[in-house]
Each structure stands twice: as structure tokens, then as C-alpha cells.
Amino acid sequence: KTVFASRLHDHTYGITSDPLTQFACVFSALIHDVDHSGVPNAQLVKENSKIAAFYKGKSVAEQNSIDLAWDLLMDYSFNELRSIIYTTTAEKSRFRQLVVNSVMATDIMDKGLKQLRNARWESAFSGKLSEEDATDTTNRKATIVIEHLIQASDVAHTMQHWHIYRKWNERFFTECYQAFQ
């Protein structure tokens, strides 16, 4: 049993044995579209919206979702929840970094972010030896895997049965159309 747990830990880069990371993934999935207007980032920038200006035209919806959700989580009414999620400043920092990385990964249209993700993937999984220690390498791999998991879940509706795909895309189209009116 211990050997299996150790192998599972290694094969999943520690994700399956780290409750903080697991909750960060769930939390990120829940918040990644908080306050999303249904308008793509590029359109918000093109229209010179206040929110685009505030976030300097970079990952506008994603940064807004993170800020709103984080501010809400930091509200005093969630003290008990926060004390369960993390108990130290280091854990809080790691949780926030996981959430930020995960939510920012859902901005699949930003070419610069995509190039950075691709470079990190290549660095982590190329098989080339690096001067990083094993923990840093494992953490890098875990981060990359999490980013790709949330990207896949964000667009998973496109991989469903045709009827489900049509239903969700019709709803998405209607949402976008109404946002543009």
C-alpha cells in the first residue's frame, strides 16, 4: 500500500497527495469565470473598457476573476474557511500562486502567456538535466499539469457528444450576442 501511494505521488508530481494543491484546483475551477461579462478580452481592450484599462489589457477577465474571488475569500466572514485551507503565511502564498497560475492559464488567447507555458513545458518535460533541485522540478511539472488540466476543463464542452456540444455552444453564443447588444 505504501509503495503504491509513493508511486502515485511520484507519477502525479505530488498533486494527489497534497490537499492544498487539490483544493487550489477546485477553487480555481469555481472562480475562473467570476464576473465574466461574456465578452472576450480582445473585445474589452478594443472597446477601451474601464476593466481593460485597469488590467492594462492583459488577461482582463482572468485577473478580474482572481481579484474579486480573492477579495471575497479574504473577507472576515471566511476566516474559518481560510484557517482550514492554510495555516501559515507560506501555505497562503503557495495557495494564492496556485490559484493565480491556474486561472491565468484559462486565458488561451494570450500569445505571450502561451509561449511562456510552452517554454515551461519544454523545460520541465524535455528530459534535459537542469541545475534545479528535484523539488523545484517536481513543483514545475505539477504547476504545468494543473494549468493544462484547468485549460482542458474550461473547454471540455467542445469534447462532449454532439447534442451536448450544440446545447452549450448555443447558450454561449446567446450569452455573447446579448453582451454585444
Side-chain angles (χ1 to χ4, degrees):
K1 203 171 190 181
T2 305
V3 171
F4 175 75
S6 176
R7 285 183 37 212
L8 182 62
H9 172 86
D10 291 344
H11 288 297
T12 63
Y13 309 110
I15 297 168
T16 57
S17 56
D18 183 6
L20 182 73
T21 299
Q22 292 172 358
F23 186 72
C25 292
V26 172
F27 186 75
S28 298
L30 290 171
I31 69 156
H32 82 277
D33 275 339
V34 166
D35 198 43
H36 197 295
S37 64
V39 178
N41 288 335
Q43 188 64 32
L44 292 170
V45 171
K46 184 178 176 182
E47 294 173 355
N48 296 315
S49 68
K50 288 180 183 178
I51 192 168
F54 184 78
Y55 292 111
K56 297 178 176 62
K58 298 293 286 177
S59 303
V60 176
E62 293 77 13
Q63 289 192 77
N64 185 54
S65 293
I66 293 165
D67 285 348
L68 290 174
W70 192 260
D71 287 349
L72 183 59
L73 181 62
M74 293 301 111
D75 186 82
Y76 75 94
S77 61
F78 292 104
N79 284 345
E80 188 176 349
L81 175 61
R82 288 193 313 274
S83 73
I84 294 167
I85 298 170
Y86 54 80
T87 57
T88 67
T89 304
E91 285 179 348
K92 176 184 178 183
S93 179
R94 189 164 68 90
F95 177 71
R96 179 167 172 79
Q97 192 61 54
L98 286 163
V99 169
V100 169
N101 287 352
S102 297
V103 174
M104 292 299 285
T106 64
D107 185 357
I108 59 174
M109 300 307 289
D110 186 300
K111 289 178 173 51
L113 286 177
K114 178 158 180 32
Q115 288 175 340
L116 289 171
R117 281 191 297 271
N118 289 348
R120 282 199 312 270
W121 179 278
E122 182 62 30
S123 169
F125 293 105
S126 68
K128 297 175 188 170
L129 295 177
S130 123
E131 294 185 22
E132 280 184 329
D133 68 15
T135 301
D136 287 343
T137 300
T138 299
N139 288 342
R140 179 183 315 284
K141 289 179 179 180
T143 299
I144 294 165
V145 168
I146 291 166
E147 288 174 354
H148 282 78
L149 284 172
I150 198 160
Q151 284 176 354
S153 64
D154 192 30
V155 295
H157 67 284
T158 64
M159 298 174 234
Q160 300 296 319
H161 188 277
W162 176 249
H163 298 329
I164 295 170
Y165 171 82
R166 277 195 58 206
K167 177 176 100 174
W168 286 106
N169 276 286
E170 285 173 7
R171 290 179 179 180
F172 180 62
F173 174 81
T174 301
E175 180 182 339
C176 288
Y177 183 76
Q178 289 171 351
F180 281 111
Q181 289 184 345

